[in-house]
């Protein structure tokens, strides 16, 4: 149960299961054949709450389970052995998993994230034992280098190389930092990994510490992730209890421990240098490089900072070998990538796919297509730093290079699907609003430039767009990209650049035609009543908060555009589809 | 020493020299707003970006050290376009009141706006509006003119060791503030005022007394203490209207509150300009010769009647070392007593 599962009612369902099993007096019976487990995120959030019943080794999965449905499952399935057919997952549930390859998420949804024994049972900490008993730091780095693992936080820097640079850097002590300050709107990969399998991240960090020669680690995690923090802290305690952290780890000469540092809600603190200042207790503002963090990072000492997902890959790579990992993905982008699939998609949830998979397969095979079978319009990848990919590029292989070439990026892994009802100008405005308010204010282009980009987008969506505004957006975007100090500013214009590149006509419709083709931008809409359809029932008059609609009973009504605030309440209230929105 | 080539000119610089320092040594100008040679590099204004052969993106010359064989270009159409855009962005959020600004004529932002020929602003939009609310008599903070270069924050932390101000808020609303946004209440050394490249920080007592082009500079030494800081008095119509210090001086251009702001006595009508001799309970003006003769005669009389140890001398911390040395020598050798002390010993 991750945060999403709990929000869908997972904890209640679990409680009722416990209660019912107790009432039936079959608790011990159940224990003999199986155990009851709370697990991390299963991936298919759209079908929550999901329940697996494993009876005599036969696994049956239920979807959309509410607490009042539990009694029947216990009665009919667990006691009598007949599954409740109408609540079972349909065939497409399995399609959701067919094209996925799970490395990072292999144990998410399988192991109990609050129980280290459960992780041991799935081979947990075997990689650490293997490394500490038989691999030198150099050999460990070599395995990671050969695996082709690249940073999963967005930039795709080769992980093995980063470890090597930190190992070779002069200075002591050295630090390992896990960046769990996941902040992109629509992204929940790192949260789910920590909530679902925190020990994999911890194991990855200890292996990294061995490789670079560090005895101090930090997990920088946002305070807005209380469940992940709680499970992480619990896991750290269990790991210390088993001497996997602390002094002389599992009887070797290695000392290493991990502190948890909570982020206070600044998006920019996900930027590595700002993150390190934040750990030091300073204001989270990125600094100029060089020196790189691998030479002078936290407290000006050599520091290796990796993202949650990157570190969670490490134990599997060590256990299964570099060649096994490198067998997934493309030539330059090896392995798998976790994505948070959201937006107007049927199967929203957490997915893991091999690098290089065509985007179309993610949207249609795994995602099941667009909600309400509307037309696909674009995918926004990489959050506010990323860009939009339109339908004509739907077959693009999802890897670092191909996406960058399209103006988007793998980014941290947010994947927001948009349908025909999405206005691309509005989408760009949404992301700019985000980056503008999250800019730290240090450098001129990001501080003032993103503000000006947002102002231009605001006037375009308000119908005040001026001739030349689209080119002004592009010119300013180009200058901000090349002159900003950190990744936030350098990538902030991406949503604008890609939406203009692929949907320029939609921008032009706003600027010159003063129309929003997707009918999203409120100030560009006009509401009117079709005389021939209006029955004069007065339903719209009653809901109109502005008193803009008038008319005699049983005669066609009219909307006064001067008073209308364009809220759309009348459209929803009208049973005769007599109100038009243009 | 390493070799760098900047705009085709070759030079040798010590390892660790930044590209900006190397360029300045070659008299190649690179615009900056947030750089100060004595403060840590910041990289916030983005004007000093240069292109380095082999680098995909331009780099900030203020922070990147030159490396052996590095080839740098400081001006390209791309770099000039970026500079112009960034100056334009700064001006889009800056009061357009150079006509009445204290800093006009001595303002880096104004200079850059002139050189980049910025008249119309493509990015005109919302401006930050801040109220001036400090009651102190020394530092005027007009935060609407602040360009967030952070020089004041760094000088306060790195030179003064006080950290009275820092950044607050994010993005467009980022602002330099004292703790909890209270009124400024610090040592008022005014170092922040000295490094501010715009009219955001000025001396309160300077206002409307004369801008940089109107003043005559006179170099002198501060009379407040024995440190002997070098001062430059800025004088208009025979009146000291502000004080600064050159950075190639013994005090490297840094001053304290007294040296920088404590100059009003110079123009005070109550200031003593001659020695005074008290006769029948009232003072009258006298010449130095007359006054010194009087003191010498009185000292001689006391010594003759009561001995040298009846006399004691107390000197001042405001005198220089040399003056204090002379005074003790005078007391010991000329007067003949060891009764000599100094106010700073207390």
């Amino acid at each position: 149960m991750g945060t999403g599962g709990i929000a869908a009612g997972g904890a209640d369902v679990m409680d009722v299961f416990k209660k019912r099993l107790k009432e039936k007096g079959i608790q011990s019976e159940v224990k003999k054949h199986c155990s009851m487990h709370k697990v991390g995120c299963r991936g298919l959030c759209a079908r929550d709450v999901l329940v697996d019943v494993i009876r005599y080794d036969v696994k049956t999965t239920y979807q959309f389970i509410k607490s009042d449905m539990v009694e029947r499952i216990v009665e009919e399935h667990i006691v009598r052995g007949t599954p409740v057919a109408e609540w079972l997952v349909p065939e497409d549930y399995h399609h959701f998993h067919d094209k996925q390859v799970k490395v990072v998420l292999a144990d998410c949804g399988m192991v109990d994230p609050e129980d280290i024994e459960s992780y041991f049972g799935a081979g947990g900490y075997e990689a650490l034992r293997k490394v500490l008993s038989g691999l030198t730091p150099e050999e460990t780095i070599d395995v990671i280098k050969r695996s082709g693992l690249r940073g999963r936080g967005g930039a795709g820097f080769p992980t093995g190389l980063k470890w090597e640079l930190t190992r070779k850097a002069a200075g002591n002590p050295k630090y390992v930092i896990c960046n769990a300050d996941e902040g992109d709107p629509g992204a929940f990969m790192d949260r789910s990994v920590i909530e679902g399998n925190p020990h994999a991240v911890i194991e990855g960090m200890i292996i990294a510490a061995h490789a670079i020669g560090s005895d101090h680690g930090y997990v920088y995690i946002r305070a807005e992730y209380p469940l992940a923090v709680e499970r992480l802290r619990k896991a750290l305690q269990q790991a210390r209890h088993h001497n996997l952290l602390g002094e002389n780890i599992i009887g070797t000469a290695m000392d290493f421990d991990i502190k948890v540092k909570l982020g206070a809600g600044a998006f920019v603190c996900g930027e590595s240098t700002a993150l390190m200042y934040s750990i030091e207790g300073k204001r989270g503002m990125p600094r100029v490089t060089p020196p790189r963090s691998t030479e002078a990072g936290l407290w000006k000492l050599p520091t290796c900072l990796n993202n949650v997902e990157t570190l969670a890959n490490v134990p599997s790579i060590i256990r299964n070998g570099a060649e096994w990992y490198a067998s997934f993905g493309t030539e330059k982008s090896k392995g798998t990538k976790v994505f948070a699939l959201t937006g107007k998609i049927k199967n929203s949830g957490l997915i893991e796919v091999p690098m290089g998979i065509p985007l179309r397969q993610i949207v249609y095979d795994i995602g099941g297509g667009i909600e309400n079978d509307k037309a696909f319009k674009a995918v926004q990848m990489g959050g506010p730093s990323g860009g939009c990919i339109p339908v004509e590029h739907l077959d693009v292989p999802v890897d670092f290079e191909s996406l960058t070439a399209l103006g988007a990026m793998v980014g941290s892994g947010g994947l927001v699907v948009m349908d025909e009802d999405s206005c691309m100008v509005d989408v760009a405005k949404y992301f700019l609003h985000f980056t503008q308010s999250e800019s730290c204010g240090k450098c001129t282009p990001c501080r003032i430039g993103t503000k000006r980009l947002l102002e231009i987008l605001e006037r375009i969506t308000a119908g005040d767009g001026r001739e030349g505004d689209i080119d002004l957006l592009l010119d300013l975007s180009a200058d901000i990209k090349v002159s900003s100090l950190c990744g936030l500013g350098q990538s902030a214009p991406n949503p604008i650049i890609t939406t203009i590149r692929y949907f320029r006509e939609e921008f032009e419709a706003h600027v010159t035609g003063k129309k929003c083709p997707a009918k999203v931008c409120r100030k560009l809409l006009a509401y009117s009543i079709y005389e021939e359809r209006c029955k004069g029932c007065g339903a719209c008059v009653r809901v109109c908060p502005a008193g803009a609609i008038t008319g005699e009973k049983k005669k066609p009504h009219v909307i006064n555009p001067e008073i209308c605030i364009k809220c759309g309440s009348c459209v929803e209230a009208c049973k005769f589809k007599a109100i038009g929105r243009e | 020493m390493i070799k760098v080539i900047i705009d085709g000119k070759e030079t040798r610089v010590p390892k660790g020299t930044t590209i900006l320092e190397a360029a300045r040594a070659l008299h190649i100008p690179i615009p900056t707003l947030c750089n100060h040679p004595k403060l840590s590099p910041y990289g916030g204004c983005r004007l000093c970006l240069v292109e380095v052969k082999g680098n995909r993106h331009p780099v900030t010359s203020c922070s990147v050290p030159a490396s052996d064989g590095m080839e740098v270009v400081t001006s390209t159409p791309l770099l000039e376009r970026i500079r112009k855009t960034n100056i334009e962005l700064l001006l889009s959020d800056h009061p357009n009141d150079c006509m009445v600004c204290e800093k006009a004529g001595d303002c880096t932002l104004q200079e850059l706006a002139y050189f980049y020929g910025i008249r119309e602003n493509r990015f005109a939009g919302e401006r930050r509006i801040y109220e001036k609310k400090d009651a102190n008599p020394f530092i005027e903070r007009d935060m609407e003119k602040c360009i967030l270069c952070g020089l004041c924050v760094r000088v306060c932390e790195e030179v003064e060791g006080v950290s009275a101000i820092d950044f607050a808020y994010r993005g467009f609303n980022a602002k330099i503030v004292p703790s909890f946004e209270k009124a400024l209440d610090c040592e008022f050394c005014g170092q922040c005022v000295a490094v501010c490249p715009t009219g955001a920080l000025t001396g309160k007592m300077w206002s409307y007394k004369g801008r940089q082009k109107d003043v005559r500079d006179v170099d002198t030494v501060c009379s407040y203490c024995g440190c002997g800081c070098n001062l430059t008095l800025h004088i208009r119509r025979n009146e000291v209207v502000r004080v600064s210090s050159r950075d190639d001086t013994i005090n490297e251009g840094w001053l304290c509150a007294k040296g920088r702001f404590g100059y009003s006595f110079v123009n005070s009508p109550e200031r003593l300009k001659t020695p005074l001799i008290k006769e029948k309970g009232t003072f009258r003006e006298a010449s130095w010769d007359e006054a010194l003769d009087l003191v010498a005669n009185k000292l001689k009389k006391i010594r003759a009647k009561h001995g040298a140890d009846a006399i004691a001398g107390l000197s001042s911390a405001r005198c220089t070392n040399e003056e204090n040395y002379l005074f003790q020598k005078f007391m010991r050798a000329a007067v003949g007593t060891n009764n000599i002390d100094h106010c700073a010993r207390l």
Side-chain angles (χ1 to χ4, degrees), chain A residues 265-266 283 285 288-290 436-445 447-449 451-452 455 472 475-476 478-479 482-485, chain B residues 42-46 49 58 60 63-65 81-82 85-86 89-90 92-93 122-123 125-126 147-148 167-172 174:
Chain A
R283 178 178 163 94
M285 288 218 280
V288 277
T289 51
Q436 189 267 321
S437 26
E438 292 296 340
S439 160
C440 78
K442 178 169 179 174
C443 75
T444 314
R447 181 179 74 244
I448 311 178
K451 169 81 177 172
R452 299 302 176 229
E455 284 174 347
L472 186 59
D475 288 349
L476 181 54
D479 291 349
V482 72
S483 69
S484 287
L485 192 160
Chain B
Y42 186 66
C45 74
R46 316 306 290 170
L49 286 171
T60 41
S63 66
V64 176
R81 195 191 77 202
I82 294 169
T85 296
N86 281 308
L89 285 171
L90 286 171
S92 74
D93 183 31
R122 290 174 291 164
F123 311 119
E126 187 190 329
I147 56 164
L148 279 298
F167 290 85
Y169 305 107
R170 286 183 212 162
F172 189 70

